Amino acid sequence: MQTFKKESIDQVLAAWAHDAVVYVPVSQAGSKEFGRWSLNTRPDFTGNTRLSPKGLMFLQTESMYSYTVTEGGMGVVLEEIDHKPARQVIVGIRPCDVQSVQVMDEVFLTKGYVDKLYKEKRDHTCLVALGCLSPLPTCFCSSMGLNPMAAPGADLMMYDLGDSYGIIPQSEAGEALIASLGGLVLDGGQVPAGNPCTLKVDTEGLTAKLQKMFEHPLWNKVNQKCLACGTCTYLCPTCHCFDIQGKNKGDEGYKFRCWDSCMYPEYTLMAGGHQPRSSKKERLRQRFLHKLQYMPERYHAWGCVGCGRCLAYCPVQVDITRFMRDVKEVAIDG
Amino acid sequence: MNEMTLKIREIARDLLERGEVKRVIGWEKGTFFYQSTPFFAETPADTDRLIWDDYCLNNLAVYLLDFRYGEEKVALFVKGCDSRGVVRLIQDQQFPRERVYLIGIPCPGLKDAAAAANLPADSEVPLAEKCRTCTHKNPVLFDILAGPQVPAAKMAGDHFAGVRELEAMDPEEKFGFWQSQYGRCIRCYVCRNACPACNCRECIFDQTAKEWLSKEVNGTNNQLFGMIRAFHVAGRCIDCGECERVCPMDIPIMRLNRKVIKDINELFGDYEAGTDLEKLPPLGLYSADDPEEFM
């Protein structure tokens, strides 16, 4: 393994910032989020960010293309918007969030349609993962098949060794990142052993059981306290629903896409007024089934990566681990 | 097992056994010690899950809105702040008085669950932010009290201190403050959904086809959302602090709401929303001596 001293973190980040935008977790007014690094930035590598890093590749709001109406309303000229994506290095991303990027890649880049907006940012992104020595009490990634100390999808793996960081390249991009550090890199160090997650849930047979539970009375109970806000979906690193709207001013404007939430009542509202998910019950059922049944069915991966953000920040403490436990315990007919 | 927990289970069980109400809405323990989470007891056996402790922060009044189109009776546990929410819903004609059975819980103040989540075990947990400015520890409306009344709130310091701090800033500084706050808003709408005053059948922010406010999430739109909501609940905000408590981005929403409350006090005379079923909000009521300096 190789290492660099913690006291040279600014030089390391400066080296990476030479030809890329570097993002690090930063404590700002109220919460810790990924922010652009500059020499004045004090990264905070403890715990995890509140918003996931998905917003760096799948932006909460981004313009798609602009248009101008011509010929007295009979014609239209469309113009691509060049977002000029810059190379970006996300430093300090946790294994759960790295897994979520893998899942987002499945959603946006496979099954016959490539999402250009996601791809252009994803292709310009380097992931420098930080292993979790002490998972938070709300973390349960190990129950979702992950190892808090390993992020196979990252370009570079980083470990906190006390007074230095251990680094192991996992791709060509990772090797290039190390090469750019020159003399800051030292040889030695051992991958430390981390502590296990304390919050655990048994997911054995979960998808198969859920496949038989669409009409189960459990859904009547689970949704009752939900406030139908978008907190869980917006903080979730794998939630990817979006809406497309336009901003119009007379004869010109642009189309943009923005995060949307299946928890919102008007999410599935159709022109004409038909509403297939008419109550909180249908919407919460959709959310849990998407994470725990539909995504495993489609992508052979859990939609939930066990980051714990939803159960930490839900205003009414809806807890997906408790839900999974309830599913395990209920009886189903046939 | 504290006495209040035993008492509320007894009351709830009795209500359900007699069939007086279809459900009793209270709290049960969540996964972590600092989580006391809303719970809907629908059978006598369910009532064994009900609890009362230092973390029963959630304002349960909002759940009446989930049942407003029904006909069955609902029982609700209400702290002082929650009871004001129920009064407001009744005054806004969102829920009839006869359909709700209120179990009042005198509350001395609860603990800060968010702080507790980040403190080492066995630490002293501070009073919840919203409880530090409590004006009504005892329920203002109830059918039965689950315990003895607690001494009335006597707040140390100025209720509007946070507002005055902002009022003292020059415009640029003030705008910079709100820019940095609402720049972080993610438009999850939890502030609106947790609020008993936000009870429109269809919220303008959900009418996306009409685009009262663009769905683009940026500083300008976020500030508009915050301001519009503050004005929509003007005169009806019960100062329960739930919006600020549940905001995932820790935006100081109560400073905005309290500014509006302060202005209304100055313009229309001191008014505390939801404390008296007979006293309607000043903005919902015409009075010949309403201020009209602009005329």
Side-chain angles (χ1 to χ4, degrees):
Chain A
M1 197 162 76
Q2 290 170 294
T3 68
F4 64 86
K5 290 241 164 260
K6 270 191 186 173
E7 63 209 24
S8 32
I9 186 71
D10 277 348
Q11 292 161 278
V12 167
L13 297 173
W16 291 342
H18 194 66
D19 57 355
V21 178
V22 172
Y23 287 98
V24 291
V26 193
S27 284
Q28 29 172 275
S31 62
K32 178 159 59 210
E33 309 302 346
F34 277 100
R36 289 175 80 121
W37 177 87
S38 69
L39 270 173
N40 296 319
T41 311
R42 291 274 67 80
D44 180 356
F45 290 121
T46 60
N48 207 352
T49 54
R50 215 171 278 195
L51 288 175
S52 74
K54 78 179 177 187
L56 297 173
M57 286 157 284
F58 169 53
L59 271 54
Q60 180 159 24
T61 301
E62 57 182 335
S63 50
M64 298 170 70
Y65 59 88
S66 59
Y67 60 85
T68 311
V69 174
T70 60
E71 298 162 43
M74 298 309 290
V76 66
V77 173
L78 302 179
E79 220 178 277
E80 293 245 16
I81 295 179
D82 180 7
H83 295 100
K84 299 190 176 54
R87 256 200 78 226
Q88 53 186 23
V89 183
I90 306 177
V91 182
I93 183 174
R94 296 294 189 173
C96 53
D97 289 338
V98 174
Q99 172 63 14
S100 77
V101 176
Q102 315 286 96
V103 173
M104 295 287 250
D105 285 351
E106 291 284 335
V107 171
F108 283 118
L109 304 175
T110 69
K111 303 284 186 198
Y113 184 81
V114 173
D115 186 299
K116 225 172 65 165
L117 289 169
Y118 177 83
K119 182 170 162 61
E120 68 186 7
K121 281 174 241 13
R122 180 70 181 99
D123 284 349
H124 283 79
T125 301
C126 239
L127 301 173
V128 177
L130 179 60
C132 300
L133 285 174
S134 294
L136 297 172
T138 49
C139 294
F140 58 100
C141 68
S142 57
S143 299
M144 307 315 292
L146 302 180
N147 175 352
M149 288 295 280
D155 295 292
L156 185 63
M157 193 71 212
M158 231 164 83
Y159 299 103
D160 189 333
L161 302 176
D163 62 350
S164 57
Y165 286 111
I167 45 179
I168 298 183
Q170 294 182 158
S171 72
E172 264 181 47
E175 281 162 9
L177 283 176
I178 295 186
S180 69
L181 297 180
L184 291 171
V185 175
L186 309 156
D187 278 319
Q190 292 231 1
V191 177
N195 295 320
C197 294
T198 49
L199 180 59
K200 296 205 235 288
V201 62
D202 180 11
T203 59
E204 177 74 47
L206 185 63
T207 301
K209 190 163 182 185
L210 284 171
Q211 283 167 340
K212 303 191 206 134
M213 283 178 66
F214 195 77
E215 302 291 356
H216 197 280
L218 176 64
W219 299 114
N220 296 325
K221 294 285 182 175
V222 169
N223 83 82
Q224 287 173 320
K225 64 181 182 175
C226 171
L227 293 180
C229 68
T231 299
C232 55
T233 53
Y234 285 179
L235 265 50
C236 173
T238 60
C239 274
H240 51 266
C241 286
F242 60 88
D243 194 4
I244 296 178
Q245 299 252 325
K247 184 117 171 98
N248 194 68
K249 253 197 179 135
D251 280 343
E252 50 186 38
Y254 57 89
K255 286 287 207 194
F256 63 89
R257 80 159 168 204
C258 55
W259 290 356
D260 207 348
S261 175
C262 59
M263 304 308 293
Y264 293 156
E266 47 91 37
Y267 177 72
T268 45
L269 185 62
M270 300 185 185
H274 177 55
Q275 173 55 286
R277 292 187 199 140
S278 48
S279 81
K280 279 191 306 186
K281 168 184 150 179
E282 286 81 28
R283 295 192 284 269
L284 196 60
R285 174 175 63 188
Q286 138 65 22
R287 180 149 206 285
F288 283 149
L289 290 182
H290 194 182
K291 297 286 155 196
L292 304 173
Q293 184 195 323
Y294 307 152
M295 286 178 95
E297 282 170 350
R298 189 169 169 79
Y299 303 113
H300 307 292
W302 288 115
C304 173
V305 298
C307 75
R309 289 180 175 95
C310 60
L311 58 95
Y313 296 107
C314 172
V316 293
Q317 303 88 31
V318 170
D319 183 339
I320 195 172
T321 64
R322 186 152 168 179
F323 168 74
M324 289 193 269
R325 238 168 269 128
D326 287 345
V327 170
K328 274 278 181 175
E329 281 165 23
V330 293
I332 51 176
D333 307 313
Chain B
M1 191 68 49
N2 65 61
E3 244 187 73
M4 185 72 91
T5 294
L6 294 169
K7 186 76 190 156
I8 65 177
R9 287 181 186 177
E10 190 190 303
I11 297 172
R13 183 175 276 269
D14 177 58
L15 285 166
L16 288 167
E17 272 171 354
R18 284 191 288 115
E20 166 141 6
V21 300
K22 188 93 191 285
R23 57 182 59 82
V24 180
I25 308 176
W27 304 271
E28 64 168 347
K29 273 329 273 180
T31 306
F32 301 97
F33 75 90
Y34 53 81
Q35 295 179 327
S36 295
T37 185
F39 173 61
F40 292 60
E42 285 168 343
T43 65
D46 279 344
T47 61
D48 285 336
R49 285 162 68 169
L50 290 167
I51 51 111
W52 168 255
D53 70 6
D54 288 327
Y55 294 103
C56 292
L57 293 153
N58 287 84
N59 184 336
L60 302 174
V62 279
Y63 291 116
L64 290 180
L65 292 170
D66 286 347
F67 304 106
R68 67 177 135 178
Y69 301 122
E71 276 163 15
E72 67 268 14
K73 203 165 171 187
V74 169
L76 204 62
F77 287 102
V78 287
K79 313 187 287 286
C81 42
D82 309 343
S83 66
R84 289 174 65 182
V86 178
V87 168
R88 282 273 59 255
L89 288 174
I90 295 168
Q91 284 185 317
D92 278 352
Q93 313 220 32
Q94 297 299 323
F95 207 86
R97 176 70 184 94
E98 327 76 73
R99 274 188 59 209
V100 59
Y101 187 88
L102 293 170
I103 308 158
I105 302 199
C107 169
L110 302 176
K111 293 193 172 158
D112 190 333
N118 293 314
L119 288 168
D122 300 328
S123 304
E124 186 63 43
V125 181
L127 196 60
E129 187 67 52
K130 72 177 204 164
C131 298
R132 290 176 214 182
T133 48
C134 175
T135 51
H136 293 273
K137 292 184 194 284
N138 295 301
V140 304
L141 186 70
F142 54 87
D143 291 295
I144 183 174
L145 266 186
Q149 304 235 1
V150 295
K154 192 73 188 115
M155 229 206 77
D158 176 15
H159 193 82
F160 299 106
V163 176
R164 288 190 221 281
E165 202 184 288
L166 284 170
E167 283 174 335
M169 292 182 186
D170 65 54
E172 220 178 277
E173 214 191 331
K174 210 184 305 182
F175 186 58
F177 174 83
W178 287 113
Q179 263 186 319
S180 71
Q181 296 300 336
Y182 273 97
R184 300 177 305 106
C185 170
I186 56 173
R187 304 269 286 285
C188 66
Y189 299 115
V190 68
C191 50
R192 171 195 70 180
N193 291 11
C195 173
C198 277
N199 51 47
C200 289
R201 270 185 283 178
E202 211 191 332
C203 174
I204 57 158
F205 300 115
D206 283 343
Q207 291 179 347
T208 49
K210 294 193 179 73
E211 255 193 273
W212 298 113
L213 182 66
S214 165
K215 275 178 103 165
E216 270 183 303
V217 177
N218 56 42
T220 306
N221 288 346
N222 296 350
Q223 285 172 49
L224 272 173
F225 165 66
M227 287 192 290
I228 291 171
R229 201 183 86 81
F231 275 101
H232 278 196
V233 301
R236 302 180 306 112
C237 168
I238 56 171
D239 215 345
C240 72
E242 279 291 88
C243 52
E244 185 171 289
R245 188 181 69 82
V246 299
C247 174
M249 306 308 288
D250 283 344
I251 296 172
I253 305 171
M254 282 316 291
R255 295 236 225 169
L256 209 48
N257 289 329
R258 289 218 172 109
K259 167 63 178 164
V260 176
I261 291 173
K262 179 170 173 286
D263 282 354
I264 287 180
N265 286 350
E266 284 163 14
L267 286 167
F268 298 97
D270 280 355
Y271 176 76
E272 280 190 310
T275 51
D276 185 341
L277 260 179
E278 308 306 310
K279 282 168 94 180
L280 289 176
L283 294 180
L285 187 66
Y286 170 71
S287 159
D289 31 68
D290 280 339
E292 46 176 324
E293 308 100 20
F294 54 90
M295 301 266 276

